[in-house]
Amino acid sequence: RHSLDGKTVVITGANTGIGKETAIDLAKRGAKVIIACRDMEKAGAAVKEIIESSGNENVLCMKLDLADSKSIREFAEAINNEPKLNILINNAGVMVCPYGKTADGFEMQIGVNHMGHFLLTYLLLDLIKKSAPARIVNVSSMAHNWSSINLEDINSEKSYDKNKAYSQSKLANVLFTRSLAKRLEGTGVTTYSLHPGVVQTELWRHLNGPQQILWKMATPFTKNSSQGAQTTIYCAVEPSLEKESGGYYSDCAPANCSADGKNDELAQKLWELSCRLLSVTWE
Protein backbone atom coordinates (compact mmCIF):
# COMPACT_ATOMS: atom_id res chain seq x y z
CA ARG A 1 0.00 0.00 0.00
CA HIS A 2 1.43 3.34 -1.12
CA SER A 3 1.94 5.57 1.94
CA LEU A 4 0.56 9.13 2.09
CA ASP A 5 2.29 10.15 5.33
CA GLY A 6 2.62 13.93 5.50
CA LYS A 7 0.26 14.49 2.55
CA THR A 8 -2.98 16.49 2.62
CA VAL A 9 -6.07 15.43 0.69
CA VAL A 10 -9.35 17.27 0.02
CA ILE A 11 -12.36 15.20 -1.12
CA THR A 12 -15.66 16.87 -2.04
CA GLY A 13 -18.89 15.14 -1.05
CA ALA A 14 -17.24 12.47 1.07
CA ASN A 15 -19.92 11.95 3.70
CA THR A 16 -21.46 8.96 1.88
CA GLY A 17 -20.78 6.44 -0.87
CA ILE A 18 -17.55 6.25 -2.83
CA GLY A 19 -16.32 9.57 -1.46
CA LYS A 20 -16.42 8.22 2.08
CA GLU A 21 -14.76 4.94 1.06
CA THR A 22 -12.03 6.93 -0.71
CA ALA A 23 -11.52 9.00 2.46
CA ILE A 24 -11.18 5.86 4.60
CA ASP A 25 -8.59 4.36 2.25
CA LEU A 26 -6.48 7.53 2.00
CA ALA A 27 -6.69 8.06 5.78
CA LYS A 28 -5.41 4.49 6.28
CA ARG A 29 -2.41 5.50 4.17
CA GLY A 30 -1.58 8.25 6.65
CA ALA A 31 -2.89 11.33 4.83
CA LYS A 32 -4.52 14.29 6.50
CA VAL A 33 -8.02 14.07 5.00
CA ILE A 34 -10.40 17.04 4.72
CA ILE A 35 -13.90 16.14 3.59
CA ALA A 36 -15.86 18.99 2.04
CA CYS A 37 -19.62 18.65 2.51
CA ARG A 38 -22.79 20.67 2.37
CA ASP A 39 -24.52 18.94 5.30
CA MET A 40 -22.29 19.38 8.36
CA GLU A 41 -24.33 17.00 10.52
CA LYS A 42 -23.85 14.12 8.07
CA ALA A 43 -20.23 15.17 7.57
CA GLY A 44 -19.55 15.04 11.32
CA ALA A 45 -20.93 11.50 11.51
CA ALA A 46 -18.81 10.53 8.47
CA VAL A 47 -15.64 11.95 10.08
CA LYS A 48 -16.22 9.74 13.16
CA GLU A 49 -16.69 6.71 10.93
CA ILE A 50 -13.59 7.48 8.82
CA ILE A 51 -11.45 7.92 11.97
CA GLU A 52 -12.78 4.65 13.46
CA SER A 53 -12.27 2.68 10.24
CA SER A 54 -8.82 4.07 9.47
CA GLY A 55 -7.32 4.59 12.92
CA ASN A 56 -6.18 8.03 11.67
CA GLU A 57 -7.29 10.95 13.86
CA ASN A 58 -6.22 13.54 11.27
CA VAL A 59 -9.60 13.74 9.51
CA LEU A 60 -11.86 16.80 9.52
CA CYS A 61 -14.87 18.18 7.71
CA MET A 62 -15.41 21.64 6.31
CA LYS A 63 -18.52 23.26 4.88
CA LEU A 64 -18.73 23.44 1.08
CA ASP A 65 -21.83 23.98 -1.04
CA LEU A 66 -20.84 23.53 -4.68
CA ALA A 67 -24.13 25.10 -5.76
CA ASP A 68 -23.02 28.47 -4.36
CA SER A 69 -19.88 30.31 -5.48
CA LYS A 70 -19.81 32.29 -2.22
CA SER A 71 -19.50 29.04 -0.26
CA ILE A 72 -16.82 27.77 -2.69
CA ARG A 73 -14.77 30.95 -2.21
CA GLU A 74 -15.07 30.79 1.60
CA PHE A 75 -14.02 27.14 1.59
CA ALA A 76 -11.06 27.79 -0.72
CA GLU A 77 -9.92 30.68 1.47
CA ALA A 78 -9.84 28.35 4.49
CA ILE A 79 -8.00 25.59 2.60
CA ASN A 80 -5.45 28.08 1.28
CA ASN A 81 -4.30 28.51 4.90
CA GLU A 82 -3.14 24.87 4.85
CA PRO A 83 0.63 24.43 4.33
CA LYS A 84 -0.04 22.08 1.38
CA LEU A 85 -2.62 20.27 -0.73
CA ASN A 86 -1.26 17.19 -2.48
CA ILE A 87 -4.46 15.56 -3.74
CA LEU A 88 -7.76 17.22 -4.69
CA ILE A 89 -10.57 14.77 -5.45
CA ASN A 90 -13.59 16.40 -7.11
CA ASN A 91 -16.04 13.66 -6.18
CA ALA A 92 -19.30 15.34 -5.17
CA GLY A 93 -22.16 15.26 -7.65
CA VAL A 94 -25.86 15.41 -8.29
CA MET A 95 -27.53 13.03 -10.69
CA VAL A 96 -30.69 13.09 -12.85
CA CYS A 97 -32.41 15.53 -10.50
CA PRO A 98 -35.53 17.57 -11.31
CA TYR A 99 -34.79 20.95 -12.92
CA GLY A 100 -33.33 23.41 -10.47
CA LYS A 101 -30.76 26.18 -10.40
CA THR A 102 -27.74 26.93 -8.25
CA ALA A 103 -27.34 30.18 -6.30
CA ASP A 104 -25.46 31.53 -9.33
CA GLY A 105 -28.18 30.60 -11.83
CA PHE A 106 -26.61 27.46 -13.35
CA GLU A 107 -28.71 24.39 -14.07
CA MET A 108 -28.07 22.21 -10.98
CA GLN A 109 -26.18 19.32 -12.61
CA ILE A 110 -23.77 21.37 -14.77
CA GLY A 111 -23.55 23.86 -11.87
CA VAL A 112 -22.49 21.40 -9.16
CA ASN A 113 -20.75 18.69 -11.20
CA HIS A 114 -18.73 21.00 -13.45
CA MET A 115 -18.88 24.74 -12.65
CA GLY A 116 -18.52 24.29 -8.88
CA HIS A 117 -15.50 22.01 -9.24
CA PHE A 118 -14.00 24.22 -11.98
CA LEU A 119 -14.12 27.23 -9.65
CA LEU A 120 -12.86 25.24 -6.66
CA THR A 121 -9.87 23.88 -8.62
CA TYR A 122 -9.10 27.37 -9.93
CA LEU A 123 -9.07 28.83 -6.41
CA LEU A 124 -6.86 26.06 -4.98
CA LEU A 125 -4.44 25.74 -7.88
CA ASP A 126 -1.61 27.90 -6.50
CA LEU A 127 -1.50 25.82 -3.31
CA ILE A 128 -1.67 22.57 -5.31
CA LYS A 129 1.22 23.70 -7.55
CA LYS A 130 3.25 24.69 -4.50
CA SER A 131 2.66 21.17 -3.12
CA ALA A 132 3.81 19.33 -6.28
CA PRO A 133 4.05 16.48 -7.04
CA ALA A 134 0.28 16.75 -6.69
CA ARG A 135 -2.84 15.30 -8.32
CA ILE A 136 -6.33 16.45 -9.25
CA VAL A 137 -8.87 13.64 -9.69
CA ASN A 138 -12.27 14.32 -11.30
CA VAL A 139 -14.94 11.67 -10.82
CA SER A 140 -16.85 11.45 -14.12
CA SER A 141 -18.98 8.58 -15.43
CA MET A 142 -19.49 6.39 -18.48
CA ALA A 143 -22.67 8.49 -18.83
CA HIS A 144 -20.42 11.10 -20.49
CA ASN A 145 -20.84 9.01 -23.65
CA TRP A 146 -24.57 9.67 -23.90
CA SER A 147 -24.68 13.38 -24.66
CA SER A 148 -22.62 16.24 -26.03
CA ILE A 149 -22.25 19.74 -24.61
CA ASN A 150 -24.77 22.34 -25.66
CA LEU A 151 -22.59 25.44 -25.55
CA GLU A 152 -25.51 27.61 -26.71
CA ASP A 153 -27.78 26.41 -23.89
CA ILE A 154 -25.47 24.99 -21.21
CA ASN A 155 -28.11 25.62 -18.51
CA SER A 156 -30.84 23.67 -20.38
CA GLU A 157 -33.17 26.67 -20.31
CA LYS A 158 -34.72 25.95 -23.72
CA SER A 159 -35.43 22.31 -22.90
CA TYR A 160 -34.48 20.07 -19.99
CA ASP A 161 -33.79 16.35 -20.10
CA LYS A 162 -32.37 15.32 -16.72
CA ASN A 163 -30.45 12.35 -18.20
CA LYS A 164 -28.87 14.47 -20.94
CA ALA A 165 -28.03 17.23 -18.47
CA TYR A 166 -26.30 14.66 -16.26
CA SER A 167 -24.36 13.22 -19.23
CA GLN A 168 -23.38 16.73 -20.31
CA SER A 169 -22.00 17.49 -16.83
CA LYS A 170 -19.98 14.24 -16.79
CA LEU A 171 -18.57 14.96 -20.28
CA ALA A 172 -17.59 18.39 -18.93
CA ASN A 173 -15.54 16.58 -16.23
CA VAL A 174 -13.62 14.64 -18.92
CA LEU A 175 -12.99 17.77 -21.02
CA PHE A 176 -11.99 19.83 -17.97
CA THR A 177 -9.41 17.15 -17.05
CA ARG A 178 -8.01 17.24 -20.56
CA SER A 179 -7.75 21.05 -20.66
CA LEU A 180 -6.25 21.15 -17.19
CA ALA A 181 -3.53 18.62 -18.09
CA LYS A 182 -2.38 20.84 -20.98
CA ARG A 183 -2.20 23.90 -18.76
CA LEU A 184 -0.35 22.06 -15.99
CA GLU A 185 2.40 20.53 -18.15
CA GLY A 186 5.74 20.83 -16.41
CA THR A 187 4.28 21.90 -13.03
CA GLY A 188 4.41 18.47 -11.37
CA VAL A 189 0.61 18.51 -11.05
CA THR A 190 -1.20 15.74 -12.93
CA THR A 191 -4.90 15.23 -13.51
CA TYR A 192 -7.24 12.27 -14.17
CA SER A 193 -10.93 11.64 -14.86
CA LEU A 194 -12.64 8.33 -14.23
CA HIS A 195 -15.74 6.16 -14.32
CA PRO A 196 -16.19 4.58 -10.88
CA GLY A 197 -18.42 1.77 -12.17
CA VAL A 198 -22.16 1.49 -11.72
CA VAL A 199 -22.24 1.94 -7.98
CA GLN A 200 -25.01 1.51 -5.41
CA THR A 201 -25.14 5.01 -3.89
CA GLU A 202 -27.69 7.64 -2.90
CA LEU A 203 -27.26 9.32 -6.28
CA TRP A 204 -29.99 7.03 -7.66
CA ARG A 205 -32.71 8.52 -5.49
CA HIS A 206 -34.26 10.57 -8.34
CA LEU A 207 -35.05 7.58 -10.59
CA ASN A 208 -38.70 7.08 -11.48
CA GLY A 209 -40.71 3.87 -10.81
CA PRO A 210 -39.79 1.82 -13.92
CA GLN A 211 -36.15 2.97 -13.64
CA GLN A 212 -36.09 1.86 -9.98
CA ILE A 213 -37.29 -1.62 -10.98
CA LEU A 214 -34.60 -1.94 -13.68
CA TRP A 215 -32.04 -0.71 -11.18
CA LYS A 216 -33.05 -3.38 -8.63
CA MET A 217 -32.72 -6.06 -11.32
CA ALA A 218 -29.25 -4.78 -12.25
CA THR A 219 -28.03 -4.52 -8.65
CA PRO A 220 -26.23 -7.91 -8.60
CA PHE A 221 -24.02 -6.64 -11.45
CA THR A 222 -23.17 -3.34 -9.77
CA LYS A 223 -20.38 -2.42 -7.37
CA ASN A 224 -20.67 -1.52 -3.73
CA SER A 225 -19.15 1.77 -2.56
CA SER A 226 -15.84 0.21 -1.57
CA GLN A 227 -15.43 -1.42 -5.02
CA GLY A 228 -16.64 1.80 -6.65
CA ALA A 229 -13.94 3.84 -4.89
CA GLN A 230 -11.03 1.75 -6.24
CA THR A 231 -10.49 3.68 -9.49
CA THR A 232 -10.56 7.02 -7.66
CA ILE A 233 -7.97 5.69 -5.19
CA TYR A 234 -5.89 4.31 -8.07
CA CYS A 235 -5.83 7.71 -9.82
CA ALA A 236 -4.94 9.42 -6.53
CA VAL A 237 -2.02 7.21 -5.46
CA GLU A 238 -0.78 4.81 -8.19
CA PRO A 239 2.97 5.57 -8.64
CA SER A 240 3.00 4.46 -12.31
CA LEU A 241 0.62 7.33 -13.19
CA GLU A 242 3.16 10.00 -12.16
CA LYS A 243 4.02 10.80 -15.78
CA GLU A 244 0.45 10.41 -17.08
CA SER A 245 -1.99 13.30 -17.15
CA GLY A 246 -5.35 14.18 -18.70
CA GLY A 247 -6.54 10.61 -19.28
CA TYR A 248 -9.77 8.78 -18.48
CA TYR A 249 -9.80 5.62 -16.36
CA SER A 250 -12.16 2.78 -15.46
CA ASP A 251 -11.58 -0.38 -13.38
CA CYS A 252 -8.11 0.89 -12.38
CA ALA A 253 -6.88 1.07 -15.98
CA PRO A 254 -6.87 3.55 -18.87
CA ALA A 255 -10.22 3.46 -20.69
CA ASN A 256 -11.71 4.85 -23.87
CA CYS A 257 -13.74 8.00 -23.54
CA SER A 258 -16.19 9.25 -26.17
CA ALA A 259 -15.07 11.11 -29.33
CA ASP A 260 -16.42 14.32 -27.75
CA GLY A 261 -14.32 13.57 -24.67
CA LYS A 262 -11.18 13.74 -26.84
CA ASN A 263 -12.27 16.84 -28.77
CA ASP A 264 -9.73 19.57 -27.97
CA GLU A 265 -11.72 22.28 -29.72
CA LEU A 266 -14.82 21.48 -27.65
CA ALA A 267 -12.64 21.35 -24.51
CA GLN A 268 -11.27 24.82 -25.27
CA LYS A 269 -14.74 26.28 -25.96
CA LEU A 270 -16.09 24.81 -22.72
CA TRP A 271 -13.08 26.23 -20.85
CA GLU A 272 -13.65 29.73 -22.23
CA LEU A 273 -17.40 29.57 -21.53
CA SER A 274 -16.80 28.35 -17.96
CA CYS A 275 -14.33 31.18 -17.30
CA ARG A 276 -16.77 33.72 -18.68
CA LEU A 277 -19.77 32.44 -16.72
CA LEU A 278 -17.75 32.21 -13.49
CA SER A 279 -16.04 35.59 -14.11
CA VAL A 280 -12.54 34.18 -13.69
CA THR A 281 -9.43 34.79 -15.76
CA TRP A 282 -7.74 31.43 -16.21
CA GLU A 283 -5.54 31.36 -19.31
Side-chain angles (χ1 to χ4, degrees):
R1 162 186 294 263
H2 187 69
S3 163
L4 292 177
D5 285 339
K7 307 278 191 199
T8 301
V9 180
V10 166
I11 309 173
T12 66
N15 57 339
T16 59
I18 63 177
K20 188 168 71 178
E21 293 297 335
T22 302
I24 291 169
D25 184 284
L26 301 187
K28 279 181 180 167
R29 295 168 189 268
K32 173 180 183 176
V33 177
I34 301 167
I35 66 170
C37 306
R38 194 180 52 200
D39 183 329
M40 290 309 280
E41 203 177 315
K42 281 185 183 165
V47 165
K48 281 200 186 93
E49 202 182 316
I50 295 161
I51 290 171
E52 274 165 27
S53 301
S54 67
N56 179 348
E57 295 279 330
N58 209 355
V59 180
L60 62 152
C61 56
M62 285 168 69
K63 170 110 177 136
L64 171 66
D65 182 355
L66 285 156
D68 184 351
S69 64
K70 187 169 168 285
S71 170
I72 298 168
R73 288 179 183 279
E74 282 166 7
F75 173 82
E77 206 172 310
I79 294 292
N80 281 324
N81 290 322
E82 292 285 327
K84 60 190 156 187
L85 174 53
N86 308 91
I87 302 169
L88 170 62
I89 300 176
N90 290 321
N91 162 81
V94 288
M95 180 176 169
V96 298
C97 52
Y99 193 79
K101 284 195 164 173
T102 69
D104 303 277
F106 300 121
E107 181 273 317
M108 193 58 75
Q109 299 190 81
I110 197 77
V112 169
N113 300 353
H114 169 63
M115 296 292 180
H117 282 126
F118 186 99
L119 181 60
L120 178 65
T121 306
Y122 169 78
L123 295 169
L124 296 178
L125 202 60
D126 287 344
L127 178 61
I128 296 170
K129 282 180 176 167
K130 206 174 74 182
S131 314
R135 297 185 183 192
I136 299 165
V137 179
N138 297 315
V139 179
S140 177
S141 163
M142 67 186 281
H144 84 270
N145 285 290
W146 305 333
S147 176
S148 187
I149 297 214
N150 186 344
L151 295 163
E152 272 62 63
D153 186 26
I154 196 125
N155 291 311
S156 312
E157 284 164 332
K158 294 182 181 126
S159 71
Y160 181 65
D161 174 325
K162 62 186 183 179
N163 298 312
K164 276 193 174 147
Y166 177 67
S167 300
Q168 167 175 264
S169 72
K170 295 286 109 180
L171 174 56
N173 296 153
V174 174
L175 291 169
F176 174 48
T177 303
R178 199 174 172 87
S179 294
L180 203 49
K182 282 206 167 89
R183 285 163 173 85
L184 292 172
E185 266 173 37
T187 62
V189 182
T190 49
T191 174
Y192 314 88
S193 66
L194 67 107
H195 167 56
V198 179
V199 184
Q200 304 153 27
T201 71
E202 288 183 5
L203 281 178
W204 299 96
R205 62 186 177 272
H206 293 299
L207 298 184
N208 63 27
Q211 286 172 324
Q212 294 276 8
I213 293 163
L214 281 171
W215 174 237
K216 286 198 170 64
M217 284 161 57
T219 298
F221 306 102
T222 59
K223 299 180 177 185
N224 62 30
S225 292
S226 170
Q227 293 163 329
Q230 293 311 308
T231 305
T232 305
I233 295 161
Y234 173 82
C235 289
V237 304
E238 172 57 40
S240 69
L241 295 184
E242 260 163 37
K243 299 279 180 275
E244 302 296 321
S245 189
Y248 173 74
Y249 295 78
S250 180
D251 289 324
C252 299
N256 264 330
C257 64
S258 68
D260 274 340
K262 300 187 191 89
N263 183 331
D264 287 330
E265 194 187 341
L266 183 61
Q268 179 59 24
K269 282 181 177 160
L270 175 67
W271 186 278
E272 288 165 7
L273 179 64
S274 305
C275 287
R276 196 166 71 242
L277 293 173
L278 290 162
S279 309
V280 298
T281 313
W282 191 355
E283 294 314 325

